[in-house]
Amino acid sequence: MTRGGSNRLLTPAEVAEWLRVSETTVRNRYRAWGIKPQKVGRLLRFRERDIANYLDEHYG
């Protein structure tokens, strides 16, 4: 398992709140940020550990 975070799935709204950006920004930029989404049906979800790793790599 990679370092940081858990396998908990976050909604785009939860990720936006965590990153202090809009939900639209998350939906439009996750590919550019290199964050892989998890599809649940047709819904986007993001693993908490992937967001934590992104923050560590780029801002930590």
Side-chain angles (χ1 to χ4, degrees):
M1 186 161 129
T2 60
R3 64 186 173 112
S6 68
N7 284 327
R8 188 172 83 114
L9 294 177
L10 303 173
T11 66
E14 291 171 322
V15 173
E17 184 178 327
W18 190 5
L19 300 178
R20 295 184 189 257
V21 298
S22 71
E23 185 176 344
T24 302
T25 299
V26 172
R27 290 181 180 277
N28 291 336
R29 301 284 302 164
Y30 73 87
R31 286 182 193 96
W33 294 337
I35 299 172
K36 183 180 174 191
Q38 302 296 312
K39 295 287 272 194
V40 179
R42 56 182 202 173
L43 303 174
L44 280 180
R45 296 292 183 260
F46 300 92
R47 293 204 186 275
E48 184 178 33
R49 70 174 186 215
D50 293 341
I51 304 302
N53 286 336
Y54 169 79
L55 292 174
D56 284 345
E57 288 174 13
H58 291 88
Y59 302 102

